[in-house]
Amino acid sequence: MGQGRWVTRRSSISAPARSGLTVALSLALALNGAAAPLAFAAAPQASEISVGVGGGFSQLVLHGERDVRRDGAAVIVRFPGAGPNLARLHVDPPPFLKSATVAAVNGGVEVRLVPADGAVVTLGAADGARFINLRSAAAATAVAKNQPPAPRPDPAPPGGVRMAAAFKAGVLTLRFPWRGAVGAAAFRRGDGVWVVFDAKAGLDLSGAPRGLPQAKRFEAVPGADFTAIRITGPESSALSLVADGNTWVLTLGGAPPPPPPAVAVARDEDGSPALIARLPGASGVFWLSDPQVGDRLAVVTAGAQPAQGAPRSFVDARMLGSAHGLALQPVADDLTVSTEGDRVRIVRPKGLVLSPATAGAPGGGSPQHAHVAEALDLPKPSTLPGLIDFAAWSKTGEHGFLARYDALLAAAAEEGSHGKGAPMEARLGLARFLVGSELGEEAIGVLDTLAKTDPAVTGLGEFRGLRGASRIMARRWKDAQADFSAPPIVADPAAALWRSYAAAREGDFAAAKSQFATGRITLDQVAPAWRARFAIAAAGAAASQGDTGAARSFLSAGGDAATPEDRAEQSLVRARIAEQEGRTPEALALYEGLASDRYGAVAAPALLKATDLKLAAGHIKIDEAIVTLDSIRYRWRGDATELEVVRELGQVNLRQGRYREALEAWRSAGSRMPDLPAASAIRADLAQAFRDLFLAGRADGLEPVQALALFYDFKAYTPIGAEGDLMVRRLVRRLVDVDLLGQAADLLKYQVDNRLDGAAKAQVATDLALVYLMDRKPEDALGAINGSRSTLLPTALNSQRRLLEARALVDLGRFDHALEVIGPDTSPDALEVRALCAWRSRDWAGASRTAEQRLGDRWKRNEPLSAPEAAMLLRAGVGYSLANDDASLARLRDHYMRLTDTAPNPAQLKVALTGLTAAPGAGLAAAMSDTDVFAGWVGRMKARFRTDGAAPPPPARQQAQAAGGAAPKAG
């Protein structure tokens, strides 16, 4: 076999790109006729035809093409825009290529490649690129005779494909491991999920799970040249199929995964009545029989690149929704499905029943209608649904705008008078004219009326593009996003430019930047004015994210702005770039110059940024900044700039200690345009500020009543969980300190009734009962305890709740019940309740003993008695006197008489310790009063609130462990 010399030629619209790319051509592949494109060191970035030449063989690799089709012996390649540079093909054409000519078409060019007489042409696709092979007839015959293509290695593993299953969190994952690469398809039909592989292999289903709702039955379906499985399950479960190397992974159930790119289906561009589906990596067409329905399906498998088919209905076939690949249900018996590279051709011998090639929408048109359309010279659809041909569509003719508008309106009205099923070309023509004239509101009216008359029109990509552009012009950003994200147009790169523009206007800068990068390849086909607008909006989004490099690149791609408004926005972006790069004086000068611009969408953000920079530099005072921000807030409304102003205003007020003003500003804007990132940021600022005020102590400088009013007005922002509980407890502590017991009880009761459950509810209900007792409301205290009982409470909390319950029962005069609740408890708090119970039941001896026991060895310390201790000592002395227990009274006198001089009530204590017989009635009135004892108890409870409110209560399990592992009890 001879060895040929390889020469590389390159035809490109980009000289720098041409000089930076090299071609590595494989002689063996060429001589063996392998259908693979030649490998390049770097991928071209624009419309280009790369040429490799060898002995008896030429290969043309296409980049940036829209379509490739045959026209007799010739091959026609469509490119967008100006197309590739064919100079080298003209000057030095490769062997077996006779000529290469170019012709302009709507939205691009078509290159016609004519092979030399007798040359054999082969089309193919691999590794994401399409190629054209040209060789002489003799060489092709020799290759076919002497060098047959190597057979495809058997991709099936020894013993067949063994399915592996895994089930986790409601999601069933099935793995099909192959030895080599295979194509696959997956789709749902009724209650069955089909998975088809493009190679024959045994299928081992021994690992199939049983009893799962996602897959009730597994059934292998035999095929002559394919492998298929049908899985029975519910129609509603999510479905996905992805490749993991040579293993295909099927997922059933769980949340629906992000949809892969939809397969584009359109009429064959050569005008024949056939459909062409663009399926990357299409690997074969297989016909299988559905045993449940009894009909045949055509399944097109594809390689690892994700691609799904959307459900569509045609007269001769129905396309089923698929997770990967394509599946068609023929209606006509003679339907033919074939593949050529990435093109799937669907046709019948006499052609499919489709609307005429000139029809822009369902409904077709009568000859009379075609005559009217021709007479009116209706605006023609553009090459892409998202492209708006402003120049052509807005032409009015020699009679001016009104005459053109009246003629189109009359034709549209006459067409619409026929009702549903009537042709749509006149109405779409009117809509194109209005959109091209940038009359968005008027176009929306026409399109919405059309959709109401015939809802099927919403399935057209052009309709979505027209209405989306109209909504952009009407500043209805969210509605426009919905149109440009609809399945018929979502894959159109031109639609990504509109999505980028809408996202930038809404303040979603990350999405704007990403979508512009996707749609940038079509930027050259956009009208100059809108090209600049798209680029300026995307550059502003990139600058707002700190990506100044992308911002500069985007600005340069858009060219010069045409209108004063666009030029002002361009300057605003340049100011943002300067600010991000630290060139503050330059940025401030630009901002101040733009702040007086007549275009509010530029003046408002420029004044905001200028105010921020001057405040940061100390050129203005905070009060001046607040006045300026307030003026912007009410001067410019309705977009992300308003939210930025409000956010800055709140932050400035917060720094000044104007808490209410800051929170009110943020609350007023947080519900406006709630889907924008700026609104989310404002809500986060508000929640954080509320947390700082009532959790981090920032509001401690306010008067308790002011703090309470502020909390009540914004209590909807109280965080859920332990932080919110701690916030309320700390505010309650402040209210209790100033005896605002009713307000404190209201806060705690709201927590108990609306926010808490289990142990947390019991803890807060205990605090509520304590506040009620301090406010002398024992019945309410009992209600709080009884309404929050639980069997899963720590011992310490149960003890506290029993003591409070007993004290409430004492206040209600239910002394025996109170003693039963206390039980054997001998803690100081329990002794105090026992003493109170005995005193009120006039058990003088028991009350005195318990009071003395409560005092303990206090007499050993020479410190002055506190008011609660003095009140307890007074009761003990009076009780012993009333019980005629002189011995106990003498013991008490010996212990405490020396401490009476420094006590709060020395005279009364001396009388009580001496005995009431020495001074009848002198200390009886004071001893019989509860005031001092109750005041002492309230003081201790306030102190407890101060310490307990410092940290949130630990979970019940931790409390139980801290208590020594004691078993929880009911309380």
Side-chain angles (χ1 to χ4, degrees), residues 769-783:
L770 182 58
V771 173
Y772 278 141
L773 287 176
M774 287 191 285
D775 204 19
R776 296 187 182 273
K777 295 179 179 179
E779 291 183 351
D780 292 337
L782 278 180

Side-chain angles (χ1 to χ4, degrees), residues 228 394 603 645 739 781:
S394 61
V645 171
D739 291 326

Side-chain angles (χ1 to χ4, degrees), residues 555-609:
L555 275 183
S556 64
D560 295 329
T563 67
E565 292 83 0
D566 295 335
R567 288 195 292 272
E569 283 205 55
Q570 215 168 33
S571 298
L572 182 62
V573 174
R574 293 192 179 98
R576 286 176 173 166
I577 293 174
E579 180 187 1
Q580 291 287 344
E581 293 179 345
R583 295 180 280 117
T584 304
E586 178 185 346
L588 181 57
L590 286 171
Y591 283 139
E592 288 184 320
L594 294 169
S596 58
D597 193 273
R598 64 183 181 86
Y599 185 42
V602 169
L607 183 55
L608 167 64
K609 292 293 185 179

Side-chain angles (χ1 to χ4, degrees), residues 45-205:
Q45 301 298 315
S47 299
E48 186 173 351
I49 301 178
S50 303
V51 181
V53 179
F57 178 83
S58 294
Q59 188 176 72
L60 285 72
V61 183
L62 311 175
H63 302 283
E65 80 288 353
R66 286 267 178 79
D67 184 44
V68 181
R69 69 180 189 272
R70 290 179 181 270
D71 184 11
V75 178
I76 297 178
V77 186
R78 172 171 287 195
F79 291 91
N85 186 342
L86 302 181
R88 293 295 301 174
L89 293 181
H90 295 158
V91 173
D92 185 18
F96 315 116
L97 179 65
K98 182 178 182 180
S99 65
T101 58
V102 63
V105 295
N106 193 11
V109 298
E110 285 187 347
V111 177
R112 184 181 184 88
L113 303 170
V114 180
D117 295 339
V120 176
V121 179
T122 304
L123 304 182
D127 298 331
R130 300 192 206 185
F131 58 86
I132 304 171
N133 286 344
L134 303 170
R135 59 169 56 87
S136 67
T141 302
V143 167
K145 180 183 298 184
N146 302 319
Q147 300 291 337
R152 175 187 180 184
D154 185 5
V161 177
R162 183 181 179 86
M163 184 186 74
F167 184 74
K168 183 178 180 181
V171 178
L172 175 61
T173 303
L174 303 174
R175 299 179 68 87
F176 300 89
W178 291 79
R179 182 169 60 181
V182 298
F187 60 94
R188 184 188 301 280
R189 194 183 193 200
D191 63 350
V193 171
W194 287 84
V195 184
V196 181
F197 302 103
D198 67 358
K200 179 67 176 176
L203 193 58
D204 184 354
L205 302 180

Side-chain angles (χ1 to χ4, degrees), residues 348-571:
R348 294 177 63 190
K350 295 184 178 180
L352 297 177
V353 179
L354 299 173
S355 58
T358 56
S366 64
Q368 179 182 2
H369 174 77
H371 175 72
V372 171
E374 182 178 355
L376 286 174
D377 189 20
L378 293 176
K380 303 300 187 297
S382 60
T383 55
L384 293 174
L387 281 179
I388 305 300
D389 193 347
F390 289 96
W393 291 357
S394 61
K395 289 181 179 178
T396 60
E398 59 181 4
H399 299 295
F401 176 85
L402 288 179
R404 175 69 166 165
Y405 173 73
D406 289 342
L408 292 175
L409 182 62
E414 192 280 330
E415 182 183 77
S417 65
H418 297 288
K420 185 175 181 180
M424 299 181 183
E425 190 62 25
R427 285 170 288 177
L428 287 175
L430 174 61
R432 293 180 197 120
F433 173 70
L434 294 172
V435 173
S437 303
E438 299 197 34
L439 297 173
E441 296 286 2
E442 291 79 0
I444 290 172
V446 172
L447 293 166
D448 283 349
T449 303
L450 178 57
K452 187 176 181 181
T453 303
D454 194 340
V457 75
T458 59
L460 293 175
E462 186 195 5
F463 175 86
R464 292 289 192 172
L466 288 171
R467 193 169 68 174
S470 304
R471 287 170 165 176
I472 290 285
M473 296 169 190
R475 303 178 65 84
R476 292 161 59 173
W477 315 121
K478 197 168 188 177
D479 292 340
Q481 289 275 32
D483 270 328
F484 284 117
S485 300
I489 197 175
V490 68
D492 177 9
L497 292 176
W498 293 102
R499 289 195 296 270
S500 169
Y501 187 78
R505 294 307 185 197
E506 288 187 305
D508 190 352
F509 300 133
K513 180 183 171 186
S514 171
Q515 290 296 321
F516 184 82
T518 300
R520 189 172 179 176
I521 60 174
T522 61
L523 194 63
D524 290 341
Q525 302 178 55
V526 177
W530 278 95
R531 182 190 313 157
R533 289 169 194 161
F534 289 150
I536 292 168
S544 297
Q545 288 195 305
D547 191 348
T548 57
R552 292 179 182 278
S553 173
F554 292 169
L555 275 183
S556 64
D560 295 329
T563 67
E565 292 83 0
D566 295 335
R567 288 195 292 272
E569 283 205 55
Q570 215 168 33
S571 298

Side-chain angles (χ1 to χ4, degrees), residues 776 807 836 840 867-868 871 875 925-939:
R776 296 187 182 273
R807 194 172 191 98
L836 181 62
R840 291 190 180 177
R875 282 199 172 181
M928 297 298 289
S929 171
D930 285 337
T931 302
D932 291 339
V933 176
F934 181 75
W937 176 79
V938 169

